[in-house]
């Protein structure tokens, strides 16, 4: 566990904690590190849930499958990101979605009962962590609400314009990078990948955007904004 302390210190869950506090908390939590390879299933929908996960390295996908074999990407998570915490503290006792590795890496599994119970040996650190967790849960709720806003939009161009404009505003730059590949982005927006790729190509030809792999550039923010304004009428 000691080799991961520098990584843990930079995560939102353990923000503002000293290495000494983290060294005390980890044994108290009885946390375990699990290595994974690309394609590994880390958690399955309906499986009993006793832990939450924190990605230490690599990338994982949280996804929901339907009866026809389709999938909806709930989120793409990398180093420092938590997953499973919303369901854990909702008290269902089951993983609501499947968690699959999108690359090789490591994940830290923490029994969530240890998080919700005060720790007498590191109570100050536990209080800091509890405040951090509340902020994370609030942000997750806001992000989910935002994603619903993308999915509810009617046309392909409108969905893409809304997502691209949001990424542009968050990055504070016309150029930004996404952790999602085309397949994951299509699943995230709940659209057909070929149709999405065609629409991205049209927007590129029209000079609205440019892209290379997972990097995008908004070459004409005004026209991108106009797509959304026209959709609102």
């Amino acid at each position: 566990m000691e080799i991961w302390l520098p990584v843990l210190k930079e995560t939102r869950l353990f923000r503002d904690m000293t290495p000494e506090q983290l060294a005390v908390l980890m044994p108290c939590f009885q946390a375990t590190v699990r290595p994974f390879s690309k394609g590994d299933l880390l958690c399955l929908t309906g499986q009993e849930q006793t832990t939450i996960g924190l990605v230490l390295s690599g990338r994982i996908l949280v996804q929901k499958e339907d009866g026809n074999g389709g999938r909806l990407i709930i989120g793409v998570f990398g180093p420092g990101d938590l997953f499973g915490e919303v369901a854990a503290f909702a008290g269902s006792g089951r993983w609501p979605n499947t968690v699959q590795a999108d690359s090789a890496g490591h994940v830290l599994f923490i029994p969530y009962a240890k998080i919700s119970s005060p720790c007498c040996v590191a109570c100050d650190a536990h209080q800091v962590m509890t405040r951090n967790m509340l902020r994370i849960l609030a942000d997750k709720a806001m992000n989910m609400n935002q994603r619903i806003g993308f999915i509810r939009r009617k046309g392909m161009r409108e969905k893409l314009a809304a997502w691209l404009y949001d990424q542009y505003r968050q990055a504070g730059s016309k150029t930004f990078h996404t952790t999602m590949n085309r397949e994951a982005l299509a699943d995230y927006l709940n659209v057909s990948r070929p149709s999405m790729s065609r629409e991205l190509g049209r927007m590129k030809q029209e000079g609205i955007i440019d892209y290379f792999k997972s990097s995008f550039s908004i070459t004409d923010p005004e026209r991108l904004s106009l797509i959304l304004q026209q959709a609102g009428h």
Side-chain angles (χ1 to χ4, degrees):
M1 184 64 68
E2 288 76 10
I3 65 171
W4 296 111
L5 289 180
V7 177
L8 294 174
K9 190 176 182 301
E10 298 302 317
T11 65
R12 293 186 63 193
L13 182 61
F14 300 115
R15 182 175 294 168
D16 300 326
M17 292 190 192
T18 66
E20 291 75 21
Q21 287 174 318
L22 281 171
V24 172
L25 277 177
M26 288 302 103
C28 173
F29 282 166
Q30 300 176 5
T32 57
V33 175
R34 175 181 168 182
F36 56 80
S37 301
K38 184 174 182 178
D40 285 355
L41 295 174
L42 305 179
C43 310
L44 297 174
T45 302
Q47 186 179 47
E48 181 183 6
Q49 180 182 8
T50 59
T51 61
I52 63 172
L54 191 156
V55 182
L56 296 172
S57 65
R59 188 169 61 192
I60 59 103
L61 302 175
V62 177
Q63 57 196 37
K64 185 179 292 292
E65 298 91 0
D66 59 31
N68 297 320
R71 68 171 185 170
L72 175 66
I73 299 292
I74 305 300
V76 181
F77 301 100
D81 291 333
L82 281 176
F83 61 92
E85 73 280 12
V86 175
F89 291 105
S92 65
R94 301 283 173 183
W95 286 95
N97 304 299
T98 293
V99 180
Q100 185 172 25
D102 194 43
S103 71
H106 294 79
V107 65
L108 179 72
F109 281 109
I110 306 171
Y112 62 80
K114 297 289 184 180
I115 295 178
S116 57
S117 302
C119 176
C120 61
V121 296
C123 58
D124 290 342
H126 207 118
Q127 290 176 12
V128 172
M129 186 203 61
T130 300
R131 289 196 298 269
N132 290 342
M133 177 63 78
L134 288 173
R135 293 190 187 101
I136 292 170
L137 290 171
D139 285 347
K140 282 284 181 76
M142 292 180 66
N143 290 337
M144 183 57 67
N145 188 54
Q146 185 180 55
R147 187 193 177 195
I148 291 171
F150 297 148
I151 293 175
R152 289 181 62 183
R153 291 184 176 270
K154 294 181 180 179
M156 176 71 73
R157 173 167 285 223
E158 187 182 343
K159 289 176 189 284
L160 282 169
W163 180 79
L164 287 163
Y165 197 77
D166 179 73
Q167 297 296 305
Y168 157 64
R169 289 193 306 174
Q170 286 192 44
S173 169
K174 290 185 177 181
T175 300
F176 57 87
H177 178 80
T178 176
T179 58
M180 292 185 283
N181 59 25
R182 291 290 186 273
E183 182 179 2
L185 179 58
D187 288 337
Y188 179 79
L189 295 175
N190 198 27
V191 296
S192 160
R193 179 184 174 183
S195 297
M196 184 193 74
S197 296
R198 284 194 295 270
E199 187 58 48
L200 284 172
R202 279 192 286 265
M203 295 172 78
K204 181 175 182 178
Q205 288 178 347
E206 293 170 21
I208 300 173
I209 64 170
D210 196 5
Y211 56 81
F212 178 73
K213 294 185 178 180
S214 296
S215 294
F216 289 86
S217 292
I218 309 302
T219 51
D220 195 336
E222 290 75 17
R223 288 181 65 189
L224 192 64
S225 177
L226 185 60
I227 295 173
L228 300 177
Q229 293 175 30
Q230 293 173 337
H233 294 298

